[in-house]
Amino acid sequence: MPSLPDIMTPDAEALARAAGKGKGAPLEAGSPEHDLFTGLTRLGDNTLILGHRVSEWCGHAPVLEEDIALANMALDLIGQTQLWLGLAGEVEGHGRSADDLAFLRDAWHFHNVLLVERPNRDFGHTLMRQFLFDAWHQPMLRALEDSADDRIADIARKAGKEVAYHLERSADLVIRLGDGTEESHARMQDALDRLWPYVGEMFHADEVDVRLAHEGVMPDPAGLRPTWDATVDEILAESTLARPEGDFFHKGGRQGRHTEHLGHLLAAMQWLQRAYPGAKW
Amino acid sequence: MYAQMVKSEATNDDPEKLAAFQARIDANEKIEPKDWMPEGYRKTLIRQIGQHAHSEIVGQLPEGNWITRAPTLERKAILLAKVQDEAGHGLYLYCAAETLGISRDEMTEMLLSGKMKYSSIFNYPTLNWADIGAVGWLVDGAAIMNQVPLQRTSFGPYSRAMIRICKEESFHQRQGYDIMMKMARGSPEQKEMAQDALNRFWYPSLMMFGPSDKDSVHSAQSMAWKIKINTNDELRQKFVDQTVPQAEYLGLTIPDPDLKWNEEKGGYDFSEPDWSEFYDVLKGNGPCNRDRIEARQEAWEKGRWFRDALVAHAEKRAARRVAAE
């Protein structure tokens, strides 16, 4: 036998198209659509992953009022995720919904900053992570209200109202715990020191940011730093916490290179969708 | 029904005052916190409202178990909102109990030390996603059976809390049923999950009403005081009659071979749950008793520094204000 017979079906190409339905060709790197899709998933993945982390507290917070407040915050963040990832799917144009993007991408396609995937640890660490993020999130949304893309400006206006309250709350608790007991002060300082190396990434622009800023679609994150510094310095002073020295920061999350923690988070979050493909819930 | 087997307290009050109090209840007047009330009424209500509040708090755990694995963003948001509502119910109920002269911290310590109970149902695990549907449909459904009549209970703050809570619970029940519909009409695996959830939650839901109390002196006293409105058997029958057609609509089978319509009584005949299992669960031998109470103890212990710090900060602030004046 000179060779095996060809076992391909004659309609292989049509089958391949059907199998890949909803996938389409990937957006070309550097194209405006790709940049916009990337920018939107960065926003939506931040809120998704932080919302997920916050929701892990459900039923375990130190006091009933905190259980209620954390659930509220997680709800806001998940709601914002639906808007950002919904728009990202629309921009991509391959028929992927917010759920498809949340539950069916693997870790290297997530674009959140590393800060938000850091594990909860104690309640003080959770609050400090929230404060450092909120102090960035609020001016980011404020800048996005002026986006040249009306769809982005609309989402930013809606989310901005919620996030203004998040910042007010997390800042207030950082003050009260920083300037509380000796133990609470030590815990909050430890949380700040641990999280500090994840701050810089929020302001570190790459070429996608530069192009989006040039088009007036999203701000250059580096420009948000002075506002963030002013907020954080004021709150840290009042909370009697010391701003850590050093400006080293871990990065890569926004480009899809994550810590080990994200994979475990996604394993829990995506499990049902992965285990029962195509099921409706 | 989140309060089970609440024993009424004996009362040794002045018979004249007692008669006047009973007359107010019989005239459907609301008793308010500052009104005179028999000690037995006060203590029974603290036990009953406290147990209900604790059930809301412990009840966050079996549902919270699926928040991080909810299959869509919308389902995650709905579940988060539901668990948040439950924490809110706990808060109103603790406030209602506090008007009777006990603090939330005291009640919490009693829960954590095992001196106060929560509903037996929360000692069962949530093992697949359809359990979240079944908890809404069956557990909230059973709770509503008892809570709707309690909107007319004689104690004002409890009645007002129930009115708010019932609105939200009925919404939860519909959401739970919605999950069951999706599952029962979904893939074969989803239908299997739905049937499995019903199989496991059916009898524990029937147990939520407590054993028959038609001959119980405690129940008779509570009913005279209008802090209990119906007998356990009446409520259980009503629940079964309401739920069976819903299960049929879903195409699911109630795990009771003896379940059948009884034309004469206008309701279903059904099998009693295994009451020895119920007493085991009350004694601490349910599948999750230890896990549930340990989770609450851990949250309380690990949160101590947080609560202490808020108090310390408030004191510092007050001292600074005084110094500045």
Side-chain angles (χ1 to χ4, degrees):
Chain A
M1 190 179 285
S3 74
L4 294 173
D6 184 359
I7 56 163
M8 279 304 279
T9 54
D11 57 346
E13 235 170 86
L15 285 176
R17 267 199 306 279
K21 197 169 158 254
K23 276 196 157 172
L27 297 174
E28 192 189 333
S31 68
E33 294 76 23
H34 186 268
D35 284 350
L36 186 51
F37 176 79
T38 305
L40 288 166
T41 52
R42 286 172 177 179
L43 291 164
D45 291 344
N46 279 343
T47 53
L48 173 61
I49 302 303
L50 185 58
H52 185 97
R53 281 288 187 228
V54 172
S55 78
E56 290 172 357
W57 273 100
C58 191
H60 303 275
V63 66
L64 195 45
E65 284 81 351
E66 288 304 315
D67 257 325
I68 294 173
L70 287 179
N72 232 347
M73 209 149 53
L75 266 173
D76 287 346
L77 292 167
I78 299 303
Q80 292 168 21
T81 304
Q82 288 173 297
L83 299 174
W84 291 127
L85 294 186
L87 181 54
E90 202 179 307
V91 165
E92 186 191 37
H94 295 163
R96 288 203 282 182
S97 65
D99 280 339
D100 291 336
L101 290 171
F103 294 96
L104 298 174
R105 280 178 301 158
D106 212 330
W108 53 89
H109 285 133
F110 273 77
H111 295 139
N112 57 281
V113 291
L114 301 176
L115 175 73
V116 297
E117 70 197 50
R118 301 303 301 163
N120 287 339
R121 299 179 65 90
D122 71 3
F123 201 69
H125 187 267
T126 295
L127 283 172
M128 183 58 83
R129 184 185 62 202
Q130 188 72 40
F131 169 63
L132 298 174
F133 179 77
D134 292 342
W136 170 88
H137 201 193
Q138 198 210 17
M140 173 50 113
L141 290 171
R142 196 166 283 167
L144 288 170
E145 285 181 22
D146 298 326
S147 170
D149 187 326
D150 290 342
R151 298 168 300 180
I152 292 176
D154 284 348
I155 298 174
R157 263 189 293 277
K158 184 186 179 297
K161 288 187 196 120
E162 295 165 349
V163 169
Y165 173 69
H166 296 181
L167 177 58
E168 195 183 307
R169 188 187 114 78
S170 62
D172 176 59
L173 280 170
V174 166
I175 292 169
R176 291 201 273 164
L177 296 175
D179 186 22
T181 60
E182 213 172 291
E183 180 182 4
S184 71
H185 178 89
R187 283 176 183 266
M188 295 309 280
Q189 186 67 54
D190 177 62
L192 180 59
D193 294 344
R194 282 174 185 277
L195 290 166
W196 195 252
Y198 297 93
V199 163
E201 187 189 12
M202 292 190 286
F203 307 100
H204 183 65
D206 66 4
E207 54 196 21
V208 175
D209 295 309
V210 170
R211 284 194 297 268
L212 286 170
H214 183 74
E215 299 298 325
V217 175
M218 290 186 189
D220 181 340
L224 305 172
R225 186 81 199 222
T227 310
W228 187 90
D229 277 333
T231 307
V232 168
D233 287 347
E234 183 199 326
I235 300 302
L236 291 186
E238 211 180 323
S239 62
T240 73
L241 296 171
R243 185 178 164 121
E245 302 284 334
D247 51 13
F248 169 80
F249 61 92
H250 297 285
K251 56 183 183 290
R254 300 174 77 242
Q255 290 76 29
R257 288 187 306 280
H258 290 276
T259 66
E260 289 178 344
H261 301 289
L262 185 65
H264 293 280
L265 184 155
L266 296 181
M269 187 176 90
Q270 298 184 335
W271 173 69
L272 276 174
Q273 288 263 1
R274 299 286 193 180
Y276 302 97
K280 298 277 177 282
W281 304 96
Chain B
M1 169 170 293
Y2 290 158
Q4 290 164 321
M5 302 189 68
V6 176
K7 284 190 180 157
S8 62
E9 288 276 341
T11 252
N12 298 312
D13 296 286
D14 171 4
E16 249 174 65
K17 278 185 164 174
L18 274 177
F21 179 79
Q22 191 61 48
R24 290 190 63 195
I25 302 236
D26 294 343
N28 284 327
E29 279 182 46
K30 289 282 177 256
I31 308 300
E32 294 299 333
K34 290 195 171 148
D35 296 349
W36 183 86
M37 62 185 81
E39 262 322 288
Y41 179 85
R42 182 186 302 277
K43 284 186 184 157
T44 309
L45 266 178
I46 287 178
R47 194 174 287 166
Q48 181 172 333
I49 301 174
Q51 198 183 110
H52 187 167
H54 295 328
S55 299
E56 299 282 358
I57 302 312
V58 177
Q60 294 183 95
L61 297 169
E63 293 187 296
N65 182 39
W66 279 90
I67 284 181
T68 57
R69 291 176 291 170
T72 67
L73 295 171
E74 192 187 5
R75 290 288 177 207
K76 192 197 284 280
I78 291 172
L79 184 54
L80 263 167
K82 176 177 197 278
V83 179
Q84 185 193 30
D85 283 349
E86 273 147 19
H89 297 171
L91 204 52
Y92 316 144
L93 287 163
Y94 283 129
C95 290
E98 282 186 317
T99 67
L100 292 161
I102 187 167
S103 74
R104 197 206 310 178
D105 281 0
E106 284 173 280
M107 285 182 275
T108 301
E109 297 291 354
M110 287 165 85
L111 167 70
L112 299 182
S113 67
K115 283 196 198 116
M116 276 181 98
K117 300 280 184 214
Y118 55 91
S119 175
S120 58
I121 191 73
F122 300 117
N123 291 313
Y124 289 87
T126 51
L127 301 178
N128 80 54
W129 171 250
D131 286 16
I132 297 306
V135 167
W137 173 37
L138 300 174
V139 174
D140 290 324
I144 293 167
M145 284 294 152
N146 180 50
Q147 290 170 11
V148 165
L150 278 176
Q151 293 178 96
R152 294 191 308 270
T153 186
S154 60
F155 187 54
Y158 193 24
S159 156
R160 291 188 286 274
M162 279 303 151
I163 291 167
R164 267 186 89 165
I165 289 173
C166 280
K167 276 188 201 151
E168 292 177 348
E169 291 290 5
S170 127
F171 190 57
H172 295 168
Q173 199 203 7
R174 287 202 296 275
Q175 287 168 343
Y177 195 66
D178 184 59
I179 292 180
M180 292 308 281
M181 287 227 281
K182 273 272 189 325
M183 300 296 282
R185 294 178 181 180
S187 66
E189 292 101 328
Q190 285 176 301
K191 187 163 184 186
E192 195 183 337
M193 290 182 218
Q195 184 63 54
D196 176 49
L198 174 57
N199 292 349
R200 282 180 290 104
F201 275 96
W202 175 251
Y203 286 108
S205 300
L206 296 186
M207 291 177 202
M208 285 176 70
F209 299 94
S212 178
D213 60 352
K214 57 184 192 301
D215 304 320
S216 156
V217 285
H218 295 296
S219 291
Q221 176 61 79
S222 287
M223 287 174 90
W225 278 335
K226 292 190 184 157
I227 55 183
K228 182 175 172 72
I229 313 286
N230 305 89
T231 66
N232 296 347
D233 291 324
E234 281 166 3
L235 293 169
R236 189 169 15 249
Q237 182 70 51
K238 217 172 150 196
F239 173 74
V240 171
D241 292 345
Q242 176 190 287
T243 308
V244 171
Q246 294 169 348
E248 281 169 2
Y249 184 74
L250 291 172
L252 299 177
T253 308
I254 303 259
D256 179 358
D258 297 327
L259 182 84
K260 64 171 187 298
W261 178 256
N262 180 331
E263 193 58 50
E264 208 174 307
K265 76 170 180 186
Y268 285 90
D269 290 332
F270 55 93
S271 303
E272 288 278 312
D274 175 357
W275 290 110
S276 67
E277 177 182 313
F278 174 75
Y279 289 111
D280 274 341
V281 173
L282 289 200
K283 269 187 246 151
N285 294 324
C288 300
N289 293 58
R290 183 168 283 231
D291 291 340
R292 298 288 186 246
I293 210 68
E294 279 179 0
R296 291 309 308 162
Q297 285 165 342
E298 191 180 302
W300 191 246
E301 286 310 316
K302 285 192 172 169
R304 189 177 300 281
W305 71 270
F306 173 86
R307 298 188 302 273
D308 290 348
L310 296 192
V311 173
H313 181 79
E315 282 167 359
K316 278 187 196 178
R317 219 173 242 196
R320 277 178 216 143
R321 243 194 329 268
V322 170
E325 272 163 14

